[in-house]
PDB file of all heavy atoms in Angstrom:
ATOM      1  N   GLU I 791     -59.157  63.390 206.499  1.00 98.00           N
ATOM      2  CA  GLU I 791     -59.310  64.340 207.542  1.00 98.00           C
ATOM      3  C   GLU I 791     -60.544  64.062 208.373  1.00 98.00           C
ATOM      4  O   GLU I 791     -61.592  63.752 207.841  1.00 98.00           O
ATOM      5  CB  GLU I 791     -59.345  65.767 206.955  1.00 98.00           C
ATOM      6  CG  GLU I 791     -59.804  66.902 207.880  1.00 98.00           C
ATOM      7  CD  GLU I 791     -58.942  67.021 209.207  1.00 98.00           C
ATOM      8  OE1 GLU I 791     -57.736  67.047 209.094  1.00 98.00           O
ATOM      9  OE2 GLU I 791     -59.517  67.076 210.297  1.00 98.00           O
ATOM     10  N   ARG I 807     -56.952  82.170 216.613  1.00 95.00           N
ATOM     11  CA  ARG I 807     -55.717  81.593 216.284  1.00 95.00           C
ATOM     12  C   ARG I 807     -55.116  82.143 215.014  1.00 95.00           C
ATOM     13  O   ARG I 807     -55.661  82.046 213.974  1.00 95.00           O
ATOM     14  CB  ARG I 807     -55.828  80.021 216.047  1.00 95.00           C
ATOM     15  CG  ARG I 807     -56.183  79.298 217.342  1.00 95.00           C
ATOM     16  CD  ARG I 807     -55.071  79.338 218.368  1.00 95.00           C
ATOM     17  NE  ARG I 807     -53.814  78.765 217.940  1.00 95.00           N
ATOM     18  CZ  ARG I 807     -53.516  77.479 218.047  1.00 95.00           C
ATOM     19  NH1 ARG I 807     -54.349  76.659 218.607  1.00 95.00           N
ATOM     20  NH2 ARG I 807     -52.361  76.991 217.572  1.00 95.00           N
ATOM     21  N   ALA I 810     -47.616  83.610 212.692  1.00 97.00           N
ATOM     22  CA  ALA I 810     -46.662  84.443 211.937  1.00 97.00           C
ATOM     23  C   ALA I 810     -45.929  83.541 210.929  1.00 97.00           C
ATOM     24  O   ALA I 810     -45.293  82.602 211.313  1.00 97.00           O
ATOM     25  CB  ALA I 810     -45.614  84.960 212.919  1.00 97.00           C
ATOM     26  N   ASP I1050     -46.822  69.092 213.521  1.00 98.00           N
ATOM     27  CA  ASP I1050     -46.938  68.796 214.928  1.00 98.00           C
ATOM     28  C   ASP I1050     -46.857  67.286 215.299  1.00 98.00           C
ATOM     29  O   ASP I1050     -46.632  66.972 216.451  1.00 98.00           O
ATOM     30  CB  ASP I1050     -48.181  69.426 215.533  1.00 98.00           C
ATOM     31  CG  ASP I1050     -47.942  70.896 215.896  1.00 98.00           C
ATOM     32  OD1 ASP I1050     -47.016  71.540 215.368  1.00 98.00           O
ATOM     33  OD2 ASP I1050     -48.763  71.469 216.675  1.00 98.00           O
ATOM     34  N   VAL I1063     -45.859  76.120 212.902  1.00 97.00           N
ATOM     35  CA  VAL I1063     -46.403  75.792 211.608  1.00 97.00           C
ATOM     36  C   VAL I1063     -45.316  76.030 210.459  1.00 97.00           C
ATOM     37  O   VAL I1063     -45.295  75.374 209.406  1.00 97.00           O
ATOM     38  CB  VAL I1063     -47.707  76.547 211.243  1.00 97.00           C
ATOM     39  CG1 VAL I1063     -47.480  77.920 210.963  1.00 97.00           C
ATOM     40  CG2 VAL I1063     -48.433  75.841 210.124  1.00 97.00           C
TER      41      VAL I1063
HETATM   42  C1  FAD V 770     -50.886  79.786 221.274  1.00 59.86           C
HETATM   43  C2  FAD V 770     -50.171  79.266 220.025  1.00 59.86           C
HETATM   44  C3  FAD V 770     -49.633  80.174 219.119  1.00 59.86           C
HETATM   45  C4  FAD V 770     -48.965  79.763 217.983  1.00 59.86           C
HETATM   46  N1  FAD V 770     -48.421  80.695 217.107  1.00 59.86           N
HETATM   47  C5  FAD V 770     -47.730  80.225 216.040  1.00 59.86           C
HETATM   48  C6  FAD V 770     -47.029  81.117 215.147  1.00 59.86           C
HETATM   49  O1  FAD V 770     -47.147  82.359 215.346  1.00 59.86           O
HETATM   50  N2  FAD V 770     -46.325  80.664 214.072  1.00 59.86           N
HETATM   51  C7  FAD V 770     -46.172  79.310 213.944  1.00 59.86           C
HETATM   52  O2  FAD V 770     -45.460  78.903 212.963  1.00 59.86           O
HETATM   53  N3  FAD V 770     -46.818  78.422 214.769  1.00 59.86           N
HETATM   54  C8  FAD V 770     -47.507  78.821 215.785  1.00 59.86           C
HETATM   55  N4  FAD V 770     -48.090  77.901 216.613  1.00 59.86           N
HETATM   56  C9  FAD V 770     -48.028  76.490 216.286  1.00 59.86           C
HETATM   57  C10 FAD V 770     -48.979  76.048 215.176  1.00 59.86           C
HETATM   58  O3  FAD V 770     -50.273  76.484 215.524  1.00 59.86           O
HETATM   59  C11 FAD V 770     -48.951  74.536 214.993  1.00 59.86           C
HETATM   60  O4  FAD V 770     -47.579  74.149 214.857  1.00 59.86           O
HETATM   61  C12 FAD V 770     -49.721  74.148 213.796  1.00 59.86           C
HETATM   62  O5  FAD V 770     -51.067  74.534 213.817  1.00 59.86           O
HETATM   63  C13 FAD V 770     -49.644  72.598 213.554  1.00 59.86           C
HETATM   64  O6  FAD V 770     -50.238  72.308 212.333  1.00 59.86           O
HETATM   65  P1  FAD V 770     -50.424  70.760 211.897  1.00 59.86           P
HETATM   66  O7  FAD V 770     -51.111  70.780 210.551  1.00 59.86           O
HETATM   67  O8  FAD V 770     -49.136  70.018 211.947  1.00 59.86           O
HETATM   68  O9  FAD V 770     -51.324  70.100 212.956  1.00 59.86           O
HETATM   69  P2  FAD V 770     -52.885  70.340 213.356  1.00 59.86           P
HETATM   70  O10 FAD V 770     -53.298  71.754 213.123  1.00 59.86           O
HETATM   71  O11 FAD V 770     -53.085  69.810 214.722  1.00 59.86           O
HETATM   72  O12 FAD V 770     -53.716  69.452 212.313  1.00 59.86           O
HETATM   73  C14 FAD V 770     -53.870  68.003 212.431  1.00 59.86           C
HETATM   74  C15 FAD V 770     -55.093  67.597 211.669  1.00 59.86           C
HETATM   75  O13 FAD V 770     -55.175  66.177 211.643  1.00 59.86           O
HETATM   76  C16 FAD V 770     -56.512  65.820 211.902  1.00 59.86           C
HETATM   77  N5  FAD V 770     -56.468  64.467 212.475  1.00 59.86           N
HETATM   78  C17 FAD V 770     -56.035  64.121 213.705  1.00 59.86           C
HETATM   79  N6  FAD V 770     -56.109  62.836 213.894  1.00 59.86           N
HETATM   80  C18 FAD V 770     -56.636  62.244 212.770  1.00 59.86           C
HETATM   81  C19 FAD V 770     -56.940  60.929 212.379  1.00 59.86           C
HETATM   82  N7  FAD V 770     -56.705  59.882 213.151  1.00 59.86           N
HETATM   83  N8  FAD V 770     -57.494  60.770 211.119  1.00 59.86           N
HETATM   84  C20 FAD V 770     -57.760  61.876 210.337  1.00 59.86           C
HETATM   85  N9  FAD V 770     -57.432  63.159 210.637  1.00 59.86           N
HETATM   86  C21 FAD V 770     -56.873  63.352 211.874  1.00 59.86           C
HETATM   87  C22 FAD V 770     -57.090  66.901 212.770  1.00 59.86           C
HETATM   88  O14 FAD V 770     -58.487  66.962 212.675  1.00 59.86           O
HETATM   89  C23 FAD V 770     -56.409  68.214 212.207  1.00 59.86           C
HETATM   90  O15 FAD V 770     -57.134  68.790 211.170  1.00 59.86           O
HETATM   91  C24 FAD V 770     -48.772  78.344 217.737  1.00 59.86           C
HETATM   92  C25 FAD V 770     -49.346  77.420 218.703  1.00 59.86           C
HETATM   93  C26 FAD V 770     -50.028  77.902 219.830  1.00 59.86           C
HETATM   94  C27 FAD V 770     -50.544  76.905 220.808  1.00 59.86           C
END
Side-chain angles (χ1 to χ4, degrees):
E791 169 55 51
R807 292 296 299 273
D1050 275 20
V1063 74

